[in-house]
Amino acid sequence: MISLSHVTKLYGSVIGVNDVTVELGAGAYGLLGPNGAGKTTFLGLVTGQLRPSIGQVRVFGERPFFNARVLRRIGYCPASDLTERSATPREWVRYLVQLSGFTPAAARRLAEETLEQVGLGEAAGRPLSTLSKGMRQRAKLAGAMAHDPDLLVLDEPFDGLDPVARHELVTLVRTWARSRSLLIASHLLHEVEALQAGLAVILGGRLVASGSVHEISQLVDTLPSEVRVVSTAPRRLAELACRCPEAEGVRFVGADAFIVDTRAPRLLADWVVEAANAEGILIRELVPGDRSLEGIFGRLVQVHRGVAP
Amino acid sequence: MTGQTPPPARAPDQLPSLPALAPLPALAPLPALASIVAVARFQINRLLTPPRLALAAIGAAFPTAVLLAATKARGSALDTDLGAILLYALVPEAVCMLGLLVTICPVVADELERGTWVHIAVRPGGRRALLLGTWLAAVLWTGAVALFALLLALSVGVIENGLILLGPFSLLVCLSCIGRAALFSLPAVIIPKRALVASVGVALVVEYLAGLIPAVVNQLTVSLRLRTLLVRFMDWRQNMPIELQLLVDDRPPWAQVAAVLILTVVFLAVAVAIVEWRQFPPSEES
């Protein structure tokens, strides 16, 4: 469905994305990365707003830039706020559907149906300027979905939403993506996790990891991590920790704390606890590397930036 | 793992399908034209705000006010020739120029500012429809204001036999709007964020400076065609000094109309090509 082959996008001397090669088949995918990582540029390339400086982008087997056949099959909800002042959501969505080539009558019908779906039925006649950001987000989403695209591309679609609205829209997008493809960019892992989507992690314009949540967890298991221990007998405990086959190095960080470098923080933590029990050493604090998705993401960021070993 | 293919989180065909949706309606018979009309309607709706309507009313009343002031200063009604000169300067030139500057110049900049550009740019033919639809809206809006201004100016009776000017001047207004809206669409797509300033520059340099140079370059201006048509309609040519005759074209009126239409097509084609090919980095959006 989406194929990027050694794609680099430059804005003058600034790199948007850097030598990205990826193949995404039909399905749901999350594009993860911190702000400024290149997510929007990636989506801009996929949705035909931008041409690659180097490399080739294919969507549905064709170049998306200036290609009506491809664009007709894509729905895009950008991250930027909709500051259109005078139009109502009904007028706005109808307008976008007409721009997709539908007759005014068909556009009216599709707009009404989609606005109901996103929960904007009652507010559809109010000017966009009077709506909350959450409601404008829904209007944007409706505009992206109303022409029934095969691929829905969402850039930070849940920003500015309260938890209830977020849950509603996550459910809506998840339901929608059951029968069609979805590419969603976010810097919040739990959003993508909730959509049960495959992951692609982008950092500094580079695609640093891709796969399912499980695959990325496995990848991170091979990355260096650390366990921090605070104890009443740090030197003795550090000596015991060094005997663990998973330990790769130890360094002291203060009078009563040390850090063990490892690629298996949980195993090492178990080893340290057992060793401390056997020797009667009191552990005041033991913090293994964060293995939650947030932790994984943070770890990948650190590795990419060269902060982590 | 860079470059690997992530497997889909779940196979779409193994999941329950969505509730049955109504079949998707067919596309419009002429989708490109339908999109242009949709943009034009949307843009005109944007113009129908109290401040814009007030501005249009001032623009429509301005020529009449000037003509009334001229009549008062003169102490009698304006003769047809003098009235035609004043009316030409006020309506097809001033009112049309100003109206077009505020309607066509923001065609891209306004969308970038409102955060709507990207929504339109990802539609099939959306960029082209935006430009041509906005051009159409600018022509209709400015044309309507200018024609109203013309009617108002002629109906107050400050020009002797003024009503004979209605037909020819209506044509001049239409041609001025059509041609100059296309001309101003070029700076609007080349330098969107400075389009207004650039268009004023284009108006002064191209339309008024180059248009008054008796050389090949003035053949590419709308002002030469409008001036020539005015001279033809008023039958002034034979009485004009030879040096002024250099400022008008010899070809018949239909050729002037055709020239404006050709210039319009060329300007719009170039503007469409630019807007289709143009890329705006995410940082430039909103």
Side-chain angles (χ1 to χ4, degrees):
Chain A
M1 179 182 67
I2 297 171
S3 164
L4 275 74
S5 172
H6 298 289
V7 168
T8 296
K9 178 63 191 173
L10 298 164
Y11 303 112
S13 58
V14 178
I15 294 180
V17 297
N18 187 1
D19 194 25
V20 170
T21 297
V22 67
E23 291 275 346
L24 303 176
Y29 299 95
L31 186 63
L32 293 171
N35 293 329
K39 301 188 297 293
T40 301
T41 298
F42 186 100
L43 299 188
L45 290 161
V46 168
T47 55
Q49 301 164 64
L50 302 171
R51 289 186 304 272
S53 308
I54 303 169
Q56 211 169 54
V57 180
R58 288 275 191 273
V59 179
F60 302 119
E62 297 182 52
R63 286 183 187 157
F65 190 86
F66 194 30
N67 187 333
R69 277 192 305 278
V70 174
L71 297 183
R72 190 160 283 126
R73 300 177 66 185
I74 295 177
Y76 180 47
C77 176
S80 54
D81 194 12
L82 185 61
T83 54
E84 173 67 39
R85 289 173 285 273
S86 50
T88 65
R90 180 177 289 126
E91 290 165 345
W92 175 246
V93 176
R94 196 190 301 167
Y95 173 55
L96 292 182
V97 178
Q98 277 187 266
L99 282 181
S100 289
F102 290 92
T103 60
R108 194 175 304 121
R109 199 199 90 194
L110 291 170
E112 293 296 340
E113 285 175 2
T114 315
L115 286 165
E116 282 293 334
Q117 274 187 336
V118 300
L120 260 187
E122 285 179 15
R126 285 169 48 191
L128 280 160
S129 57
T130 65
L131 300 181
S132 66
K133 189 177 180 193
M135 285 176 152
R136 288 200 302 274
Q137 287 287 93
R138 288 167 190 256
K140 275 165 52 183
L141 194 57
M145 293 165 69
H147 62 292
D148 197 33
D150 295 322
L151 168 63
L152 186 60
V153 181
L154 309 176
D155 192 357
E156 308 279 4
F158 309 124
D159 258 13
L161 296 180
D162 59 67
V164 176
R166 190 179 289 250
H167 174 73
E168 284 174 10
L169 287 193
V170 164
T171 308
L172 174 74
V173 171
R174 223 166 113 178
T175 311
W176 192 92
R178 281 176 184 165
S179 55
R180 282 150 289 190
S181 294
L182 172 72
L183 177 60
I184 178 168
S186 177
H187 60 273
L188 299 174
L189 290 161
H190 62 86
E191 282 182 359
V192 179
E193 221 178 352
L195 289 167
Q196 300 169 353
L199 298 179
V201 181
I202 189 166
L203 295 167
R206 281 183 178 276
L207 192 70
V208 294
S210 60
S212 64
V213 173
H214 178 66
E215 282 177 319
I216 296 220
S217 298
Q218 283 184 327
L219 164 70
V220 173
D221 282 344
T222 66
L223 295 174
S225 184
E226 58 190 29
V227 175
R228 185 172 185 274
V229 185
V230 181
S231 158
T232 51
R235 296 204 171 269
R236 174 62 184 152
L237 196 53
E239 189 187 331
L240 294 170
C242 282
R243 292 180 193 165
C244 173
E246 308 298 337
E248 294 181 357
V250 173
R251 61 187 188 279
F252 286 91
V253 284
D256 58 353
F258 64 95
I259 288 173
V260 186
D261 295 324
T262 178
R263 287 172 197 270
R266 291 202 182 280
L267 286 176
L268 189 124
D270 291 346
W271 176 283
V272 169
V273 169
E274 280 178 24
N277 271 340
E279 296 267 328
I281 299 170
L282 177 66
I283 294 176
R284 289 195 184 124
E285 192 179 316
L286 189 145
V287 186
D290 188 355
R291 281 306 200 239
S292 67
L293 268 180
E294 293 289 351
I296 291 170
F297 188 41
R299 194 76 191 146
L300 286 169
V301 172
Q302 283 185 328
V303 170
H304 181 73
R305 288 178 179 162
V307 177
Chain B
M1 283 181 74
T2 302
Q4 290 192 2
T5 304
R10 71 286 174 283
D13 53 346
Q14 291 170 359
L15 287 163
S17 58
L18 283 172
L21 294 169
L24 205 62
L27 295 178
L30 291 168
L33 189 61
S35 298
I36 292 167
V37 173
V39 172
R41 283 181 61 178
F42 195 80
Q43 298 286 35
I44 287 174
N45 278 338
R46 274 179 175 172
L47 290 168
L48 293 174
T49 58
R52 291 282 192 155
L53 287 169
L55 204 62
I58 292 169
F62 169 68
T64 305
V66 172
L67 289 175
L68 284 171
T71 312
K72 195 175 175 186
R74 197 179 151 93
S76 63
L78 303 170
D79 63 67
T80 311
D81 287 350
L82 179 59
I85 290 171
L86 281 176
L87 203 56
Y88 174 77
L90 289 168
V91 183
E93 295 292 340
V95 172
C96 288
M97 284 278 200
L98 292 173
L100 293 170
L101 284 173
V102 296
T103 48
I104 191 75
C105 289
V107 57
V108 173
D110 227 20
E111 305 299 333
L112 289 170
E113 191 187 318
R114 291 169 192 252
T116 49
W117 165 261
V118 64
H119 294 266
I120 294 163
V122 296
R123 304 283 153 175
R127 295 162 181 242
R128 180 177 50 228
L130 174 70
L131 183 73
L132 297 179
T134 308
W135 171 82
L136 183 59
V139 169
L140 292 175
W141 176 264
T142 309
V145 172
L147 287 174
F148 185 71
L150 182 65
L151 268 175
L152 192 65
L154 294 176
S155 62
V156 292
V158 292
I159 301 174
E160 287 172 7
N161 299 320
L163 285 178
I164 62 164
L165 301 176
L166 184 59
F169 272 70
S170 298
L171 178 65
L172 293 180
V173 163
C174 293
L175 291 175
S176 176
C177 290
I178 289 170
R180 283 166 172 162
L183 175 65
F184 293 154
S185 69
L186 286 171
V189 297
I190 295 168
I191 34 174
K193 292 185 177 172
R194 297 281 179 276
L196 193 62
V197 176
S199 294
V200 171
V202 165
L204 294 175
V205 175
V206 177
E207 281 296 287
Y208 296 127
L209 184 62
L212 290 171
I213 297 172
V216 177
V217 67
N218 76 355
Q219 300 290 316
L220 301 174
T221 64
V222 176
S223 62
L224 171 74
R225 311 298 165 187
L226 298 183
R227 225 170 29 241
T228 302
L229 284 170
L230 175 68
V231 168
R232 287 278 187 160
F233 292 144
M234 301 307 295
D235 206 14
W236 288 339
R237 190 176 174 88
Q238 288 166 350
N239 301 324
M240 282 172 78
I242 187 72
E243 59 272 22
L244 284 183
Q245 285 187 26
L246 292 171
L247 300 180
V248 295
D249 194 46
D250 295 332
R251 295 179 194 88
W254 67 263
Q256 309 307 325
V257 174
V260 173
L261 297 180
I262 290 167
L263 284 174
T264 301
V265 170
V266 171
F267 291 151
L268 285 178
V270 174
V272 164
I274 292 169
V275 84
E276 292 275 24
W277 207 245
R278 187 104 201 235
Q279 301 174 84
F280 292 98
S283 58
E284 279 192 47
E285 288 163 14
S286 66

